[in-house]
Amino acid sequence: MTAKTKEAKCNCQGNVDEEVEGLRKVVLAGSPNVGKSVVFGNLTGKYVTVSNYPGTTVEVTRGRAMIGHAEFAVIDTPGMYSFLPITEEERVARRVLMGENPDVIVHVADAKNIERMLHLTLQLMEAGLPVILDLNLMDEAEGLGMKINLDVLRKDLGISVVSTVATEKKGMDLLKKAVSGCEKQVARVPLRYDGLIESAIQRIEEGLEGNYGISKRAVALLLLQDDPDIKDMIKELEKDGYTAIYAIAEEAGKGFGQPLNYVITLARQEFINRLVERAATIEHSGRTDLKEKLSQLMMHPLTGLPFLFLSIYALYEFVGVFGAQVSVDFLERKVFGEYINPFVTGVVTSIIPWKVIQDLFVNEYGIITLGVRYAVAIILPVVTTFFIAFSIIEDTGYLPRLAMLLDRVFKKIGLNGRAVIPVVLGFGCDTMAIMVTRTLETRRERVIATLLLSLAIPCSAQVGVILALLSGNAKALAIFIIVMTSVFLFVGFLSAKLMPGERPLFYMEVPPLRWPKLSNVLTKTYTRVEWYFKEVFPLFILASILIWAGKLTGLFDIVVSVLAYPVKWIGLPQEAATAFLYGFFRRDFGAAGLYDLKNSGVLNGIPLVVSIITLALFMPCIAQLSITIKERGVKMAVGMAAFIFPFAFFVGFVVNLILNGLGVTL
């Protein structure tokens, strides 16, 4: 390994390995959307830790599980399609497999897409890793009329093969039994390549002396496929022989009219085709054809749009109306306005005689009357309803279809359909969405997506308050949507033109359409709301304290007076400057500030729309800026903020000028 890889391997152990020292390790591997996380949850229960893999921003989940009569350490790797990585997630998954010295690898595969899944199975076997093949989602495969003979797979592959329906915990006992009885031994590799390739593999193996964490055969195959990371590792570990080893690979490549990666992949596919032909049969059903037709309609450029608009409308009604209006109105006006705030204010003022300390907890900027009220009464209902809606969208399988539908448009702005996932998630929380940009293949895509998330994608809490502000005014809402969409597309298009890089490729598994399971939706929502209280709620408390300190020291008033200039420049009252300052602490905090200004009669008409648009485009909040620094670096984060701040006010100025110039009434 390279020095860097050795260091990452060492650091990866850390405190987590101290907790599981001496335990056998089970690593879950497989492509996205195959149910790895569900299998992991079934095995481990609540004993879970999630942390970034050393030297990367990609998270790896670890836990402990009682399997049979022994306790195991279980590691859930990021999704990977192949042992030859393209994305950062695939690189991390491979590093875990190479560096953790696992006792068992459970390859969680989608049973209905067995032909595509077996490529990774073969590669894991070639790597000399102890593999168990778990054909998950077996219920969906059977629903498609598929019958899979596990005995044929076991015999031809020479490894343990089980079938599961992880969401219903079916087959989990068989999987645990296979894990418990799995011996750490090299499986027989049933596949042999062209004689020229086999000769090159043997000669490369003879020249390898270092310890790579996988078999020398796998290292040779990866080198023949021109894997840059493997090249670096060989150069580091084979200081005397790497030139001769490279020469063998180059010589082998000249013997074929196609790249060796293509030749090797084709040989695997031919082997898999023969295997699947013996092991699987398919009986078509009319019910499945109907689902397939519906799936195709959702992804078609024309017929897919009604489904998109219907989804947006449903999201608006549930999140925008029920969450942001009905629920917020009840909690903010009734619960806090009539009960909590008066009660807490009375208690605090009776206990604490000093006004300055009272202001820390209650009154205009108090922790409870402002911070907790915003977080629980205004933001929480919107966040919760959005997370419920997003969980339903995830479970139905609509999200990958939306990615396919928008892929062509996204390519115009330097992204691909996969970017739909962080963009949609951004409407829930931009901070979380920026972390998800790791799934994008190139640095160029990740930078463009981060910029657009920071600029033109308001989070669910902010959207909720905005919808509450614009409720009953269809014209104002239409203007807001048109401006935000135009900014998103224009800045994305401009970024794609100015930033060098290759045209993004797009590949994504499209799972079948399915009815969402209530238990899954509730579990996902609970987990995300728990995340909100742990990660976001404290920021509201912190923001209240900072505002109180700023008011106490006078710094708050200085910043507000400075912000008052650009605020007046775009036609807004001076009081709106305070809301913009709130927006830096939390974007939704600022939107809630506008909510208060509207209720007090300070903001309405064109200034209200201009303020909402400008604030929605305004600088990312502290939490989002922090995660941007972590993911993209200080220089890139500061550069984005330096662009977004003046650009937001410029757009606000132009919108104000156009609306007033046209004599629009709102």
Side-chain angles (χ1 to χ4, degrees):
M1 292 184 184
T2 61
K4 183 178 179 180
T5 306
K6 286 179 180 176
E7 181 184 353
K9 177 182 176 183
C10 178
N11 289 345
C12 180
Q13 311 303 312
N15 294 329
V16 175
D17 274 6
E18 291 175 8
E19 297 176 10
V20 298
E21 188 176 356
L23 300 182
R24 295 176 66 191
K25 288 184 183 178
V26 179
V27 174
L28 305 183
S31 58
N33 299 317
V34 297
K36 276 193 302 97
S37 297
V38 182
V39 172
F40 178 85
N42 288 341
L43 292 175
T44 60
K46 62 181 180 180
Y47 300 104
V48 174
T49 59
V50 180
S51 59
N52 286 352
Y53 192 85
T56 74
T57 56
V58 179
E59 290 181 343
V60 173
T61 309
R62 300 167 183 267
R64 289 175 292 167
M66 285 299 300
I67 301 175
H69 299 291
E71 189 174 25
F72 286 73
V74 185
I75 304 171
D76 185 14
T77 60
M80 66 185 304
Y81 293 101
S82 168
F83 217 70
L84 188 68
I86 297 175
T87 66
E88 180 69 7
E89 263 124 341
E90 288 183 309
R91 290 188 180 90
V92 168
R94 189 175 74 172
R95 285 170 62 185
V96 171
L97 292 168
M98 295 172 68
E100 293 281 353
N101 192 26
D103 294 272
V104 185
I105 307 290
V106 177
H107 176 205
V108 184
D110 181 354
K112 65 184 177 296
N113 290 313
I114 187 171
E115 287 188 43
R116 287 203 297 272
M117 301 290 110
L118 286 175
H119 277 273
L120 182 57
T121 308
L122 288 177
Q123 292 172 75
L124 292 170
M125 292 173 65
E126 287 174 332
L129 299 169
V131 184
I132 294 172
L133 176 59
D134 173 17
L135 292 176
N136 193 35
L137 306 174
M138 186 58 77
D139 56 333
E140 294 180 358
E142 291 172 350
L144 292 170
M146 290 183 67
K147 293 183 179 180
I148 300 175
N149 191 325
L150 302 185
D151 289 331
V152 172
L153 292 175
R154 292 185 187 112
K155 181 180 177 182
D156 287 14
L157 293 174
I159 60 174
S160 294
V161 181
V162 298
S163 64
T164 58
V165 182
T167 53
E168 299 175 10
K169 298 187 177 181
K170 291 181 179 178
M172 291 306 300
D173 289 341
L174 292 174
L175 177 59
K176 290 179 180 179
K177 185 178 179 180
V179 169
S180 181
C182 183
E183 297 295 331
K184 190 173 182 180
Q185 58 187 14
V186 178
R188 172 183 59 86
V189 181
L191 173 61
R192 286 291 179 267
Y193 300 95
D194 179 273
L196 191 60
I197 293 176
E198 286 294 338
S199 174
I201 291 172
Q202 183 178 350
R203 292 166 61 197
I204 292 172
E205 284 185 87
E206 291 171 353
L208 296 174
E209 297 180 356
N211 178 15
Y212 295 85
I214 55 176
S215 71
K216 292 181 179 181
R217 179 179 179 82
V219 174
L221 280 165
L222 290 168
L223 178 61
L224 290 172
Q225 294 174 91
D226 202 32
D227 185 316
D229 295 332
I230 292 297
K231 280 185 174 181
D232 290 341
M233 292 168 70
I234 292 175
K235 189 173 183 179
E236 176 70 21
L237 293 179
E238 316 295 342
K239 296 185 182 296
D240 297 326
Y242 75 88
T243 302
I245 293 171
Y246 289 167
I248 297 170
E250 290 176 358
E251 180 186 342
K254 293 175 183 177
F256 297 89
Q258 300 285 351
L260 284 181
N261 185 27
Y262 174 81
V263 175
I264 291 170
T265 302
L266 185 62
R268 288 177 182 145
Q269 187 62 58
E270 290 173 350
F271 172 85
I272 290 168
N273 289 343
R274 293 192 298 270
L275 175 59
V276 172
E277 189 175 334
R278 292 192 300 275
T281 57
I282 301 177
E283 300 172 359
H284 292 284
S285 66
R287 181 173 59 87
T288 300
D289 290 341
L290 179 62
K291 279 189 175 182
E292 289 177 355
K293 287 177 182 177
L294 185 61
S295 176
Q296 292 299 321
L297 289 173
M298 287 180 171
M299 294 185 285
H300 191 277
L302 293 179
T303 57
L305 292 177
F307 289 100
L308 174 60
F309 294 142
L310 182 63
S311 301
I312 292 172
Y313 176 75
L315 196 67
Y316 168 75
E317 286 294 325
F318 184 59
V319 180
V321 176
F322 175 72
Q325 295 178 36
V326 177
S327 302
V328 167
D329 186 70
F330 172 73
L331 289 172
E332 206 264 338
R333 294 181 184 276
K334 192 77 175 174
V335 177
F336 273 83
E338 296 183 15
Y339 297 101
I340 295 178
N341 280 4
F343 173 75
V344 172
T345 301
V347 171
V348 170
T349 52
S350 64
I351 295 175
I352 302 173
W354 306 283
K355 177 96 170 39
V356 65
I357 304 300
Q358 292 175 5
D359 289 343
L360 175 61
F361 298 99
V362 294
N363 301 327
E364 189 177 3
Y365 303 111
I367 290 174
I368 299 170
T369 51
L370 180 73
V372 175
R373 176 172 67 90
Y374 275 13
V376 175
I378 299 178
I379 310 304
L380 180 61
V382 186
V383 168
T384 303
T385 50
F386 177 84
F387 284 155
I388 292 172
F390 187 75
S391 299
I392 292 172
I393 291 172
E394 277 185 312
D395 263 28
T396 58
Y398 179 61
L399 202 57
R401 288 163 176 81
L402 180 60
M404 298 293 289
L405 174 67
L406 298 180
D407 178 58
R408 189 172 300 176
V409 174
F410 272 40
K411 278 188 168 66
K412 299 292 184 183
I413 58 175
L415 301 172
N416 64 42
R418 190 186 295 272
V420 165
I421 296 174
V423 167
V424 172
L425 191 56
F427 286 104
C429 176
D430 282 305
T431 303
M432 190 189 300
I434 288 174
M435 294 170 65
V436 176
T437 59
R438 304 165 184 169
T439 60
L440 303 180
E441 293 181 6
T442 66
R443 180 180 179 274
R444 176 176 180 259
E445 291 175 87
R446 292 191 287 272
V447 169
I448 292 174
T450 301
L451 173 61
L452 293 177
L453 285 166
S454 300
L455 173 67
I457 304 295
C459 63
S460 64
Q462 193 178 27
V463 168
V465 181
I466 288 170
L467 292 175
L469 286 165
L470 299 178
S471 61
N473 194 332
K475 189 189 295 184
L477 181 60
I479 291 170
F480 172 77
I481 292 173
I482 290 170
V483 172
M484 295 300 292
T485 304
S486 300
V487 168
F488 180 87
L489 295 175
F490 172 73
V491 173
F493 178 79
L494 196 63
S495 301
K497 290 294 183 183
L498 295 177
M499 288 189 67
E502 297 180 4
R503 182 187 176 97
L505 300 174
F506 179 49
Y507 175 79
M508 175 178 280
E509 291 286 341
V510 180
L513 292 171
R514 55 172 78 97
W515 287 105
K517 293 193 66 170
L518 180 61
S519 58
N520 286 353
V521 171
L522 293 178
T523 300
K524 290 178 180 180
T525 303
Y526 173 80
T527 302
R528 286 162 178 161
V529 170
E530 184 181 36
W531 169 85
Y532 170 80
F533 274 106
K534 287 181 178 178
E535 302 292 334
V536 180
F537 182 79
L539 295 174
F540 281 88
I541 306 302
L542 177 62
S544 295
I545 295 171
L546 291 174
I547 292 172
W548 172 79
K551 289 289 289 183
L552 190 63
T553 59
L555 183 61
F556 184 93
D557 294 327
I558 294 173
V559 176
V560 168
S561 64
V562 172
L563 276 174
Y565 290 101
V567 164
K568 290 178 182 176
W569 184 59
I570 60 175
L572 304 183
Q574 184 173 341
E575 292 88 343
T578 303
F580 279 90
L581 180 57
Y582 285 1
F584 178 65
F585 294 110
R586 286 287 306 168
R587 295 178 98 175
D588 33 23
F589 218 71
L594 295 181
Y595 186 85
D596 285 345
L597 290 176
K598 183 193 178 186
N599 287 342
S600 63
V602 176
L603 268 180
N604 52 62
I606 290 177
L608 176 63
V609 175
V610 171
S611 67
I612 291 170
I613 290 171
T614 308
L615 185 63
L617 298 172
F618 191 56
M619 283 177 61
C621 64
I622 290 177
Q624 189 176 344
L625 187 62
S626 299
I627 202 67
T628 302
I629 291 172
K630 181 180 177 183
E631 298 285 326
R632 306 281 91 89
V634 176
K635 188 180 294 186
M636 185 66 70
V638 172
M640 287 182 184
F643 164 74
I644 290 171
F645 177 74
F647 182 77
F649 282 98
F650 171 74
V651 172
F653 174 78
V654 171
V655 171
N656 182 59
L657 195 67
I658 291 174
L659 293 180
N660 281 296
L662 295 175
V664 176
T665 55
L666 298 172

